Amino acid sequence: SLCRGTSVNLSAVLSGGKGSGYTYLWSTGQTTSNITVTPSAAGWYVVTGNDGCSPTVKDSIKINLYAPLSINKMKDTTLCFGQSLPVNMVIGGGKSTSLAIRWIPVTVNGLTPTLRPAPGSQKYIAIAGDACTIKEDTTVFTINILQPLTAGLSINPSPVCE
């Protein structure tokens, strides 16, 4: 399989027949012995060769692509003071032997971190990659932590001391 967004060179070699004057016709319409393709979908590439004397010959190759990268999408969340949010990030597609996740902020690591932001608002970005596919997938979400509950006492009416 080929990584999405990458190019590959295809080369056709004719031999025999007249020994010269070979012509090439690719299913892409190109007419050289070597072509470069950047497939957007899996498919067959066919080359037809001729020397003007012998019967036409054909050869083909199928190029498969890794599925597009995907990461589960997270929603913005509000938590009470002292709470944390365990997350389970799932990456799909791409080159399975090199799947990885990057986080912003960089203090977060792995696919199953427990997020413990300070009170206020914290934005998180999780980026799925595979060191192969050009287009990564990303999820962006914010965790809002409510301020801690506080208590205060008052007395009414004020005590009068004499």
Side-chain angles (χ1 to χ4, degrees):
S1 289
L2 183 66
C3 299
R4 287 184 178 271
T6 58
S7 298
V8 64
N9 295 317
L10 303 177
S11 297
V13 178
L14 294 176
S15 61
K18 289 192 331 187
S20 64
Y22 300 128
T23 60
Y24 303 86
L25 177 60
W26 290 88
S27 53
T28 61
Q30 293 165 285
T31 58
T32 59
S33 62
N34 300 306
I35 65 170
T36 300
V37 295
T38 307
S40 58
W44 288 93
Y45 289 84
V46 179
V47 63
T48 303
N50 198 323
D51 67 356
C53 176
S54 305
T56 299
V57 294
K58 285 187 179 186
D59 202 357
S60 61
I61 186 168
K62 183 175 184 187
I63 296 180
N64 292 310
L65 299 178
Y66 290 113
L69 281 169
S70 64
I71 189 168
N72 56 308
K73 302 304 178 201
M74 297 290 296
K75 294 182 180 181
D76 293 349
T77 304
T78 298
L79 300 175
C80 295
F81 180 79
Q83 289 183 316
S84 58
L85 180 65
V87 297
N88 183 21
M89 304 309 295
V90 178
I91 300 174
K95 187 176 180 181
S96 62
T97 58
S98 60
L99 291 175
I101 188 168
R102 278 189 348 262
W103 285 92
I104 299 172
V106 295
T107 54
V108 179
N109 293 300
L111 292 171
T112 57
T114 298
L115 305 177
R116 294 180 177 88
S121 181
Q122 174 68 56
K123 179 178 176 180
Y124 291 90
I125 303 172
I127 306 158
D130 64 358
C132 171
T133 304
I134 291 174
K135 186 176 181 195
E136 299 172 318
D137 194 27
T138 302
T139 186
V140 179
F141 61 100
T142 300
I143 298 177
N144 296 301
I145 298 289
L146 300 176
Q147 294 296 322
L149 183 64
T150 58
L153 294 176
S154 63
I155 188 166
N156 192 10
S158 299
V160 177
C161 296
E162 294 187 26

